Amino acid sequence: MVLPGGEPKPTGPATDGTGPARSRERFLQGEPVEAGVRASILNSWQRCGSLGLSPDQDDLPFRDDFDPDGRIVRAAVPVLDRLQSRFAGSAMNISVADANGTVLLRRFGEASLARALPAIQRVPGFVFAERVAGTNGIGLALAERRLIRVYGAEHFAERSQGSACRALPVRDPLSGRIEGVLCFGYPRSAEDPALDAVIRKAAKAIERRLLGQSSARGRALLRAYLDAGARTAAGLHRGVGVDELARELHPRDRSVLVGTATELISRGDRAAVDVHLSDGRRVTLVSRPVTSAAGVAGIAIEAFLPALSRAKSLAVPRQADEPLGLPADLADIRGGPLPVTVHAAPAPEPRSVTASSRLLPVAESGQGLTITDSGDATDRPPDSPPPARGLVLVGEPHVGTYALAARRRLELLSETSTRIGTTLDIRRTAEELAETAVPRLADFVTIDLPEAVLRGEEAADPGGDLRRTVVHGIRDDLPFKPVGKRVDYGPTTPHLRCLTSGQAMLEPDLKTAAGWLAQDPEHTEQLLSHVHSLIAVPLVARGVVLGIAGFYRGQDPAPFDDDDRSLAQELATRAALSIDNARRYTRERAMVLALQHSLLPHGLPDQDSVEVAHRYLPAESDVGGDWYDVVPLSGTRVGLFVGDVVGHGMLSAATMGRLRTAARSFAELDFPPDDVLTHLDNLVGRLDREDPVSDGGGIIGATCLYAIYDPTTQQCSMARAGHPPPAVVHPDGAVSFPDLPAGPPLGLGGLPFESAEIHLPEGSQLVLYTDGLIEDRQRDVDMVLDQLRGTLAHPERTPEEACQAVLDTVAPAHPCDDIALLVARTHALDPDRIATWDLPADPALVSEVRASAVRQLADWGLDEAAFAAELMLSELVTNAIRHGAGPVRVRLLHGRTLICEVSDTSNTAPHLRRAAGTDEGGRGLFLVAQLSRSWGTRYLPQGKVIWAECGLAGV
């Protein structure tokens, strides 16, 4: 037998070792298949093999998200009912599937056929697309886009070997899209060539019913175009549209073609335009007037694809328009030829015919349109084939204008989702709304927001405290109130009325808008020379009134209409959600920032060891957990902290406060830097374990650097836990970054921390900072450190000046992480203010130490403190000799206070206790505590120091 396409097809089983059955077997075994099977079938097998399909699979996917009352269903039901009656009593089953291969309708010649099917195939929803079901009629018709017959072994799946089927795509005549597939299935033994005619006529009937769902005027114009084409253009390929002219057309190219065609229809005159496709090809769109028999005037847009060589001529599917015999009971599905393919996919972006394409001159003759541009039909060689030609769109100019306007409105709304809300800044989000609307909707936009909204709060009276937030337009010289000024609207103005009603207020002619004119006659008079139409829209999101947007039109002579009002309302609604998100973020950020500031030091303690300046700069996007601290220690020493809690937000700020409090407590216990970090590491680990959110898995992390500077020795001991090393500015201007042992970040546990000690001459600067200062995605860390070194190489600057210079030159312009900066210039305690005595552990020497101390205090002019100092030294030295181990060292330090220190080599811990009335001792430390401002113990690598601090009058 011979198929409609002219391909010979052997039937029956492959008893002679040839035919599709043998070819399929060889294909499944991986052998080459060169003959015995049609090219379309072989291509389908190869696609199935590349998808990894198995010929033995029985189950098909099922979908329940289809529309049971869609257009294709409504158009096909009457036709399928008549076909069922026509094939009653036969083994025929008739199916209609959608464009995805999902079966929507099914009819059977015998009811028993349905019971023989798997349960899932008895109801609509199972999918016969080639990608899941293998080679079959429905799937191959969608892939080949034409009439398909699949017979016996040509099926890929084993379950279908005993069947044959015919399938034909059903197109929407006015959109050109394939809406579905009509499929006849029957046993191989019931093969009948007449079924080709039946399925074609049935598909045309469904297509006519689809066409009937469109407007009568559109159908009339399409019929006029078809009739004119049949009378004049002998070369017109009826039934051939853009999809057939340019196979595998990219969706974007198709959208551009249809968008340009819509603009040509809206122009309402003859024109031609070249449209260049993404693959380099060129399509010429030609518009021609058409008039229906009822007098409806319209424009038809045809597409011409440049002629191909005869060796590569365009393959146009054969159209079967000749009458074919049908049973009498199917007479009502007869009809004229299939309408040509039409496209109506929306364009992704607006195109202007005059701006993006070249208009070509068009002449009309008795034989139709002639394109006079070089390279087109008139200039082709006599023996070259004519260009391929097909209809793209047909419609009325005013409808095209409406369609074009609607498409552009949809494009503007689609663009809103990507252009508005790119940041969480309230003002910037409002500016994005204005920039989106100008000039495609309005010529000028003003946005007024209450002061409370700008702070991130809800406005108690949205109309009472409005501030001009945005003024944006095609010009900058209009007399709108400037940004930042208070705006007061009267009760009759459209702006305040829109707040009251919650709906957009349209004033198409501002010259007659009494409420707007009465608001500020002098100001409105100035504006009327520039604007003529207004839409005032409330900005409302989640029930919260955020402000007012005013859309003005001035350069465009057309006033706003109801469609513009609806568009402005939709734009404002979408923008209001983004503004509200920014408002909520602003409120949360303000709360976190307030918490952060409350947990940071509010002032610097009084001490003479270092001169300190500090800065804290929160990140633009969110507030983190950076912190710093200055802790006065015993012996005129000072502790310097800087740290960073991982993460941002309320949790990080709260964790920072807990960590800073603990760090200060550990420092005041006079622990060395490595011990302080060890205690902090244990604390962070415990916080992780106790946090219910982390479930013991660890969510908190932090880094820290702790330095202790001693002005009596000018030595600085430092340790760090995963933190950047400090910078040291020497008095001569040299800047270095000490090589400190890194140490793990806090919270990891189990790893030791190490301290390092460096000498800091008087006048040196110690610069501590967090990683937000030097780490940035757009900058190299080494380059930033070099920049920091150059900025700090000015020892003459005060710490305040150094802090500001670092922020001005080194800090990123838009920090994505918090920055904490601490600059400390070191001072040295004058050796003349230090007195030291070393003595053996002999109680007889206590009186000598007391006498020497009294003389030293007299030399310092501290006679008023001699009595208290003498008693304290007596008790401390006696305790060191009695309970400690020699030798004993006594040291007096004269700074802001008088500090008495007694050290020995034992590690015994003194404790203050309450002595009973009968006790002979135990009152020494009690006396020391009463006579001193503060006292304590600090431990050394060998021994301990007990110290007591006395206040000095007038100091």
Side-chain angles (χ1 to χ4, degrees), residues 78 84 109 127 178-179 187 196 222 239 423 490 497 521 576 649-650 714 756-757 770 823-824 896 921 937:
Q84 184 179 26
V127 182
I178 293 177
E179 291 289 333
D196 278 357
L222 180 60
T423 70
R497 283 189 289 124
M650 190 74 71
Q714 301 178 33
E757 195 169 274
T770 55
V823 178
R896 286 176 173 266
T937 304

Side-chain angles (χ1 to χ4, degrees), residues 10-34:
T11 61
T15 57
D16 57 353
T18 63
R22 175 58 181 160
S23 298
R24 179 177 174 277
E25 180 180 350
R26 295 176 57 195
F27 173 79
L28 293 176
Q29 292 176 355
E31 300 179 11
V33 179
E34 299 176 356

Side-chain angles (χ1 to χ4, degrees), residues 9-14 18-28 36-38 41-42 45 55 135-136 149-165 188:
K9 167 70 174 63
T11 61
T18 63
R22 175 58 181 160
S23 298
R24 179 177 174 277
E25 180 180 350
R26 295 176 57 195
F27 173 79
L28 293 176
V37 64
R38 291 179 290 157
I41 299 297
L42 179 58
W45 288 353
T135 306
N136 68 88
R149 186 174 76 90
V150 182
Y151 183 89
E154 291 181 334
H155 289 89
F156 187 77
E158 294 285 351
R159 64 175 180 272
S160 304
Q161 299 298 295
S163 304
C165 62
R188 290 193 304 179

